[in-house]
Amino acid sequence: MRSATGLPIEAALPGLVAALAANPCAVLQAPAGAGKSTVVPLALLDEPWARNKRILMLEPRRLAARAVAARMAQSLGEEVGVTVGHRMRMDTRVSRNTRVEVVTEGVLTRLLQEDPALEEVAIVIFDEFHERSLQADLGLALVLDTRAHLSPDLKVLVMSATLDGEAVARLLGDAPIVTAEGRVFPITVSFMGKGMPALPGPSHSQDSAESAVARAIQMALRDEHGDVLVFLPGAREIRRVQSMLQAAGLPQSVSVFPLFGELSGDEQSRALRPGAAGTRKVVLATNIAETSLTIEGVRVVVDSGLVRRSLFDPATGMSRLETQRISRASAQQRQGRAGRLEPGVCYRLWSEAAQRSLAPFTPPEIAEADLTSLALELASWGTQTAADLRWLDEPPPAMLGSARDLLQRLGALDSSYRITSHGREMSRVGVHPRLAHMLLRAASDGALPLAADLAALLSDRDLLRGPEGVRDPDMTSRLAFLNQNAALRGYDAAPRGYDTAAIQRVKRVAKDLQRQIDRGGARVAQSGTAQTGPGQTGPGTGRSAAPDAGALLAFAYPDRVGLRRAGSDGRYTLANGRGAHFAEPCALARQELIVAVDLDDQSRDARILLAAALSRQDLQRYLADRLQRVDVVQWSSREAAVLARRQVRLDAIVLDDQPLPGAEPEAVRAAMLEGIREVGIGSLPWTREARAYQARVAFVRGIVGTEVSSRGAAAPAGGELPEWPDMSDDALASSTARWLAPWLDGITRKDHLARLSLVEILRSLLTWEQQRRLDELAPSQLQVPSGSNIRIDYLDELAPVVSVRLQEVFGLEASPLIGGGRVPITFKLLSPAQRPVQVTRDLAGFWRGSYAEVRKDLRGRYPKHYWPDNPLEAEPTRGVRRRP
C-alpha cells in the first residue's frame, strides 16, 4: 500500500513489525525527524493482526494531528478522510474506508468510554509520548485496562523521541524496545546569554528579553541562509516580537508568521507551508512546534529557553499560567528542528554553563495540572482509586482529592466518589466539568444558548487580548463582541486585539455544545432538576426570568463567588477563602458580588482576569442549596472579645451578619477560652498572691515528686497525696477548659478577666486535704522571735526565702525546716535600713561564723542600735533599741 520514503525510520520497521507480531506491546524510540509519525501507522496496516481493523494514533497537539494526517494521506495520493483521517473537536474527517485515525484532545478517552473494548481497533499508537500530556497518560492507563480485562488482542505502541524507554517498557509488561537512528544534520550551537534563560519578574525587563530575541533573529537573517524558527513562551511574546521585527524594517523578502494553538487552521497552515522561491520566513512559535512537525526550509532556530505551563494548586483549586525555563530534553528537541533538512544553526539565549543547570526533563502534565477532568473520567470508567490503573506517574493524591471534592460540589460524584447520573451527563460534554455542569443546569433553566456562548468563550482564547487589547475583565464584554453588539459597551469600533477569527471559532463551538446538550433530551432536564436546591426555583415553578451570565457562571464556579471587602473597591474574598483583586480600576470592581472565572494566582491575592457581576437575588435563588445559615460564637482578635453573630454564608464568605442574642453559654465559654489561648495565660489577673500560691504548689509538688521517686511507687511518709496538680503556666495554658471554664460565666471580653480571683481559682484545684497539707508543707508565713509574721517568698530563685531584719531573729538558733522537715528556709538578713547584709540557709553557722564581722560593720553604721555579742541570748526587737 505504501512506498519507501527513504526516512531513517525505514531501517527500524522490520524489527518493529516483528516485535508487534510476537508481543502485544512495544516501545519505539526514534529521534525527531526520523519519520515515525507518518511512516509507522501505514507500515502496520497490512499486518495480519491489523487487517479489517482500524489503527488509532494519539497526537498530543491539534496542529500536529492535522499535519501528520495530511502527510500520510498525501503519501497515499489521497485526501484526508479516505484511508487516513483525523478526529478532533470541531474537526473530524473520517469515512467508512478510514483505517488510520489520528485523534487528539480527549477523543481517545471518549472512544474508550463509549466502547471500552475497542473491538474494531487493532492497535493504539501513542505518538510523541515524551511530551507526557495528561490525555496521553490517561489514555494509556485506560487502554492498558482494556487490554487486561476486555480485549487481550489489542496492541499498544508507545513512540517517543526523548524518554526513559525502559520505564515505559516495564509499564507495558516488559515490552520490547525498538530503536531507530535519526537523520539529524550537524547543528552549530551558539550561546548568546550570560546566565539562565531570563524569566519575567521585577528584577528583569521582559522588553529587554524580547528585544534580545528580536536581535538574534536579525543576526540570523544577516549571517545565515534559510528560514528561522523562533521559540517563545506564549502568544503575547510572539506578538511583541512580531511588532519589534516590523518596526525594525525587515527586507521585503522576509515574512513573519505566528504559530500557536489558538490560531485558525488556515493561519497555522500558512506558517507551515514552504515559502516561495527567493523569499525567507520567520516562524514565531510556542512549544507547539517542538515535536511532530517539520517546517520545510527551517535551518535556523532561535530559542528563548522559556515555556508557559499551567500549574494547579490543590489548596486553592486554581490554576495559574507560569513562565518557566525549559528542560535540557526540550532544548535538545528544539535544537533538532534546525537539522532536519540540512546542517543548521541554533541560537540559545542563555550561557553554556547555564545549559548544565537546566532540569533534565519536563515534569509530566499529570503532576502539575488541574485533574478535574481526569477525576471525572476515572469515575466514569468505574475506578474507585487511581491505583486501580497502571500509570507511568500516578496522579498526585492531593490534586486528585481536590478534583474529586469539586466534582462532589458540582453533583457529579456522590459521597463515596461514585459517579452520579448528572456526572455521566457531564462526562459526555466535551468541555471542562465546571462548564459541563453549567450547560446542563442552563438547559433546565432555559438559558442554554447563553451558557453555550459562555462555555465556548472560556474554552478558547480571550476575544479581547491583553495587554494590547482592551483591559476589560468583564465577561459580558466578550458576550457583546461575540454577538456583534460592541456599541452596547461603548465601543465605536472593534478595539485593538479584537480577534475576528476567534469569534467565528467560538460561535462554532457554542453551536456544537448546544447540539451536544440537546442530544441529551430528557436526561438533561432531569440532571438539571436534580440540582435544584432548597429555596431555588426550577423548571415548572413559574420563574419568569432565566439566569444571566453571572448566575450561570456561579453554577460552574461556586467556589469563586466573591464578596467585596468592606471599604475597598476591587478587592474581594472568594468562597474558597482566597483573596482576589482587580489590578486596574473598572466598573466591575464596584460590584458587591462577582464570579471570578479566570485568575492569576501568583501573589497573595489572586489577580482577577475575567469575572462577571452576580446579584444577591440570583445568588440566593440559584445557589440556595449552598447557602448555610449558622450561629457563630467566636473570639475576635480585633475586638478582644467574644462576638456572637447569626450569619448566612457561602463557604468562606459571609453574606449576612446580624447580632445573635442569647448565645449558648457553653459556646461563649469555649470562645472565651480560645481568646485566652490566643492572648496567653499571662493576660489573666496574676497578683503577687496568685503567683505565690502557684509557687507554693510547685514547691510541694517538687518535694512530693522527689520523695515518690526515691520510694518508687509507694506514697510518701506522713500520708502525702502524690497527685498534686501541675500549676505551671504551660500546664495551665494547655488545660484551660478543665480549670478555668467554670469561672467564665459572664466573662466575654479581655478586660472582664480582671474580675477573676486567681487565688480562689487555683485553690479550687486542690482537695481540702491538699489545701491543709499545703499550709503544713509550704506555709505562707514564718513567725520570727520578734513576733512578726514574715512572708515566705517561694518566687525567689533561692526559695523558700524570708527577708527579715537581723535584729528580729536574735535568739533563733537555726534555720527552720519546711516541706515536711526537708527544706531549710533561706534568710535574707537586713539592716535597719532594710538593706541585705547576709544571705544564708544555715543560720546557726552564721551566728558562729560571720556574724562577728557583720556586727562590727553594723555597729559602725548604726551606732544607736543594739548589736549584742551573743545574738542567741539577746532579746529580739522590731524597732530601734538603744544599747544598754
Side-chain angles (χ1 to χ4, degrees), residues 518-602:
D518 287 339
R519 283 198 298 268
R523 293 194 307 272
V524 171
Q526 183 179 1
S527 297
T529 304
Q531 294 303 304
T532 302
Q536 177 182 326
T537 54
T541 58
R543 187 176 67 245
S544 58
D548 63 9
L552 290 172
L553 291 170
F555 294 155
Y557 300 93
D559 52 327
R560 299 188 195 171
V561 172
L563 176 68
R564 193 181 65 220
R565 294 175 183 171
S568 171
D569 279 352
R571 292 197 171 272
Y572 291 78
T573 298
L574 304 183
N576 63 13
R578 288 282 284 133
H581 74 285
F582 291 100
E584 298 179 357
C586 61
L588 200 56
R590 295 191 291 273
Q591 294 290 329
E592 178 196 22
L593 291 163
I594 62 166
V595 183
V597 298
D598 189 18
L599 302 105
D600 182 349
D601 195 29
Q602 289 184 306

Side-chain angles (χ1 to χ4, degrees), residues 686-701:
W686 286 101
T687 61
R688 182 170 182 84
E689 183 184 8
R691 285 299 187 189
Y693 196 88
Q694 180 189 35
R696 290 172 63 201
V697 173
F699 171 77
V700 173
R701 179 179 166 83

Side-chain angles (χ1 to χ4, degrees), residues 185-189 299-300 338-339 342-346:
F185 291 91
I187 299 172
T188 302
V189 179
R299 66 168 298 274
V300 181
E342 59 178 301
V345 178
C346 177

Side-chain angles (χ1 to χ4, degrees), residues 137-382:
D137 276 9
L138 173 61
L140 182 57
L142 298 184
V143 166
L144 291 179
D145 200 48
T146 287
R147 262 196 48 76
H149 297 101
L150 297 175
S151 301
D153 293 334
L154 180 66
K155 293 185 182 291
V156 179
L157 173 61
V158 175
M159 304 196 303
S160 176
T162 57
L163 185 68
D164 182 356
E166 292 185 358
V168 179
R170 286 193 297 271
L171 180 68
L172 299 181
D174 294 325
I177 300 174
V178 179
T179 302
E181 300 297 330
R183 187 181 66 188
V184 178
F185 291 91
I187 299 172
T188 302
V189 179
S190 177
F191 291 93
M192 302 183 64
K194 295 182 179 179
M196 298 288 282
L199 293 170
S203 61
H204 167 69
S205 169
Q206 190 63 19
D207 286 341
S208 66
E210 289 153 8
S211 297
V213 172
R215 288 193 299 271
I217 295 169
Q218 292 171 295
M219 181 186 302
L221 292 172
R222 183 183 67 244
D223 298 343
E224 302 292 337
H225 67 276
D227 295 339
V228 182
L229 174 61
V230 184
F231 286 99
L232 290 158
R236 180 173 63 247
E237 292 80 3
I238 286 174
R239 297 197 182 280
R240 284 177 179 167
V241 172
Q242 188 174 12
S243 297
M244 291 177 182
L245 293 176
Q246 290 169 349
L250 296 178
Q252 291 185 349
S253 61
V254 177
S255 299
V256 180
F257 297 94
L259 181 60
F260 50 89
E262 292 82 5
L263 293 174
S264 67
D266 289 341
E267 290 175 302
Q268 292 175 348
S269 296
R270 282 198 295 271
L272 298 178
R273 281 196 296 264
T279 66
R280 301 178 70 182
K281 66 179 181 180
V282 175
V283 179
L284 306 177
T286 61
N287 64 337
I288 192 174
E290 192 172 295
T291 58
S292 297
L293 299 173
T294 297
I295 303 177
E296 298 292 338
V298 169
R299 66 168 298 274
V300 181
V301 165
V302 176
D303 190 357
S304 68
L306 301 176
V307 66
R308 187 161 293 133
R309 294 173 61 84
S310 178
L311 304 180
F312 180 74
D313 183 352
T316 63
M318 293 188 286
S319 296
R320 67 181 186 276
L321 282 176
E322 185 173 291
T323 302
Q324 299 177 333
R325 298 182 176 100
I326 60 173
S327 65
R328 292 199 299 272
S330 183
Q332 192 67 23
Q333 285 276 28
R334 293 181 176 187
Q335 172 188 310
R337 302 283 111 183
R340 288 287 186 93
L341 306 174
E342 59 178 301
V345 178
C346 177
Y347 295 91
R348 289 176 171 168
L349 299 186
W350 62 92
S351 70
E352 187 171 4
Q355 170 70 13
R356 294 187 291 272
S357 299
L358 297 176
F361 293 99
T362 303
E365 187 181 7
I366 200 169
E368 299 178 333
D370 177 3
L371 301 185
T372 308
S373 295
L374 180 141
L376 185 58
E377 295 291 356
L378 293 180
S380 182
W381 191 253

